Every structure is written in structure tokens, then in C-alpha cells.
Amino acid sequence: MTDQPQSSALRGAIYALLAFAAFSSHDVVVKILGATYSPFQIIFFTVLFGFPVLTIMMIADKQGGSMRPVMPWWTAARTLANTLAAGCVFFAFSQLPLTQVYPILFATPLLVTVLAIPMLGERVGIHRISAVLVGLVGVVVVMQPGQAELTLAHAAALVGAIAGAFASIIMRKIGSRERVVVVQLYPLIVNFVLMGALLPFVYVPVELIDMAANAVAAALALAATGFLFLAYRSAPAVIVAPMQYSQIIWASIFGVLIFGETLERVTIYGTAIIILSGLYIVLREDKKPGSTQPVLRTRSRAATPGAPRLAPWLHRKRDKK
């Protein structure tokens, strides 16, 4: 009896590692393209190439009802937060070493924990609050204020983490009431329209190989989301969620091999602090099942505009059981 759950957990962990390896590869493509093209242009084409698959997924939604959101203001806020997160994170990837961006983005679960208090009425104890504070100290260590030059890209990464956390919390607030097609389609359309409106101001003619790279980025985002879906279907969130930290390993490898980057000692220290605090929060939440699990119930990775959100599809699969 114990072999099957263990096998399922292992399978889920492997799927999760594959998912975050694909996400990291997606970010490498974004960084390469960012040396030539504006983040607005990259997002526009990434969303464009992601449209066909997402459209098919949304057509498959058999829930009745109109396309009008049940909670329009919260839907609008989540859509804008997703759009802001994508723009900020794509810009950060194009300007900073991967090993500096990821630790800041790893603060997203910490921020989710904090935002769940006022927005969801969650009760977060002293242990998790302490872990959040320690994790934020790790973010400060990575950013090295006063020691290294803080750029607009550092600020963008931090804003992207905040916006991603805000969008995740809103998804938890409205996810059970809104149709899958509504929560999937609106961010996609807004990203496409807004980035398209900005495109004339930043457009650079795209070479064929770079257009193919945009398509590869979209494919990697969709593949990563698919693996993440399989991971959450195979294993509990407490197994899957920590696997996101494997991205720092990929960032280090890609940084050295492709971009000639080095991992500074202070970045290692700050990253370790953030990861340990994040793991503590995940393990702490797993001991308290129920509504007080804002991090474990956050399924999708922020700032991948061409990929679908996981939570609605996971809920639909569970409902059919």
C-alpha cells in the first residue's frame, strides 16, 4: 500500500523538476531575445504563439454562462496584475543575471503569505510571519543596497514578484466563482492588446530565427505548465512546490555556459535564506490543512503570459472524480 503513494510522489517530483527546467529554458530564451527586442515585443509574440493552444483549451470548457465576469473588478485587478508582472519580469530577465532575478522572484510565496492576511482573511501565526521576515532579509541581501548599484531592473523584478503574488491571491478569491474561460481569456487578451498597442513605439524588425525563438518560448511555457499540471495531479503540493527552487541551479548552469555569468557569494547567501524561509512556510502550511494554505494553493508560476493558469483545470478534474 505504501509503494504506490511513494511512487506517485516520486513521479510528481520528477514532473515538477521537468516543469521548472522548461520554465528556466523559457527564461533563457527571453533573456537572449531581450538583448535585441523590447519586453513588450517579446510578450506580444509569445502570447501570439500561445493563442492557438490556449484557444483550444478554452473551447473545451463546457461550463455554461456568459463571458462577463461574476466579479468584474477583481477580474480586472488580477488581469492588470498579471500584465504588470509579465512586463516587469521579462524586463528583469533581459537586464540582470538569471541568478539575481530568481532569488527576488522566490519572494513571491512570502508575499502571498502576507497578502493572504488582509485579502483572504487568513490567520497566519508567528512562525510563518517570522519566516516571511527572514525571507525578506534574504531579498535585501541579494539586492545588496549600498554595496551594489540597484537598477531599474532590480526594482522591476521586485514589482513583478509583488504583482505575481497579488494576482495569485485574487485567483484564490475568485477562482471558485469565475468560469475557467474567463480567468484564462481576459489576461491573454489584455496582454495581446496592450503589448500590441505599445509595439509601434518599440518595434524592431524580427529576424526569422528570432521569430522561431519566440515560438520556442511559447512552446516551453506551455510544456512547463503541462508538466506542472501532471506534477500536481501525481503528488501533493508540499512535494511539488519546493521544486521551484531548482530554477536557481538551472540559472547557475545557463548563466555560466551561455551568458558568462558568475554566482556571487552574497547572492548564494541571500538565495539560501530565501529558500529556507520558503521551505519552512511550505512545511508549516502542510501541517495545517484547510484554508490557511495560501502558498500551497498557489499553483501557477507568475509572469508567463502565454501559459494557462493551472488552478481552474485542477479543480475541474477533482470535481469529476
Side-chain angles (χ1 to χ4, degrees):
M1 291 294 290
T2 59
D3 290 342
Q4 187 173 354
Q6 289 178 353
S7 174
S8 181
L10 177 60
R11 187 166 60 251
I14 292 173
Y15 281 139
L17 289 172
L18 289 172
F20 289 110
F23 276 129
S24 297
S25 301
H26 163 276
D27 300 335
V28 167
V29 176
V30 170
K31 183 172 180 59
I32 292 172
L33 290 172
T36 305
Y37 307 100
S38 163
F40 305 134
Q41 185 168 339
I42 300 171
I43 293 173
F44 176 82
F45 284 110
T46 301
V47 170
L48 178 65
F49 283 114
F51 243 120
V53 174
L54 289 172
T55 301
I56 292 172
M57 292 178 66
M58 289 182 287
I59 290 174
D61 177 38
K62 297 179 181 179
Q63 292 177 303
S66 71
M67 291 295 296
R68 182 176 298 177
V70 176
M71 306 177 75
W73 292 110
W74 281 118
T75 301
R78 175 181 173 271
T79 298
L80 292 175
N82 269 323
T83 304
L84 178 62
C88 287
V89 172
F90 273 47
F91 175 72
F93 277 131
S94 69
Q95 300 296 315
L96 295 175
L98 295 171
T99 52
Q100 288 188 24
V101 179
Y102 277 129
I104 298 174
L105 297 184
F106 288 162
T108 300
L110 310 178
L111 297 168
V112 165
T113 303
V114 173
L115 289 173
I117 300 172
M119 293 181 63
L120 300 177
E122 299 281 7
R123 298 181 63 182
V124 178
I126 186 65
H127 293 279
R128 276 188 281 172
I129 288 295
S130 299
V132 168
L133 294 176
V134 170
L136 295 178
V137 168
V139 175
V140 173
V141 171
V142 169
M143 297 181 72
Q144 304 178 58
Q147 300 297 321
E149 181 183 359
L150 294 180
T151 66
L152 182 61
H154 288 93
L158 188 56
V159 171
I162 295 171
F166 186 64
S168 295
I169 288 294
I170 295 176
M171 186 64 226
R172 281 201 55 202
K173 191 176 185 70
I174 69 175
S176 61
R177 298 183 59 185
E178 293 289 0
R179 293 178 62 202
V180 173
V181 67
V182 170
V183 298
Q184 302 286 12
L185 187 59
Y186 277 82
L188 193 69
I189 291 176
V190 169
N191 266 297
F192 184 75
V193 172
L194 183 58
M195 301 307 162
L198 294 170
L199 203 58
F201 303 100
V202 298
Y203 183 76
V204 173
V206 185
E207 297 185 10
L208 184 60
I209 189 170
D210 292 336
M211 188 64 75
N214 279 285
V216 168
L220 285 168
L222 291 168
T225 303
F227 279 126
L228 204 52
F229 177 86
L230 293 174
Y232 277 113
R233 292 285 294 157
S234 303
V238 70
I239 297 293
V240 177
M243 298 305 161
Q244 66 177 303
Y245 299 120
S246 65
Q247 291 175 108
I248 197 66
I249 299 174
W250 289 111
S252 302
I253 295 172
F254 288 139
V256 171
L257 296 181
I258 300 177
F259 304 108
E261 301 169 353
T262 57
L263 186 59
E264 298 180 4
R265 184 174 298 178
V266 69
T267 302
I268 296 175
Y269 294 154
T271 303
I273 293 171
I274 298 168
I275 291 175
L276 288 173
S277 63
L279 289 174
Y280 183 84
I281 289 173
V282 166
L283 295 173
R284 189 78 183 175
E285 287 190 3
D286 188 56
K287 293 180 180 180
K288 295 186 176 182
S291 64
T292 56
Q293 295 178 306
V295 173
L296 287 178
R297 291 174 179 268
T298 298
R299 304 295 197 234
S300 303
R301 198 190 80 150
T304 44
R309 304 296 94 187
L310 282 180
W313 297 99
L314 287 168
H315 289 317
R316 285 182 63 193
K317 290 290 184 180
R318 291 194 187 99
D319 293 341
K320 289 179 180 179
K321 289 186 175 182

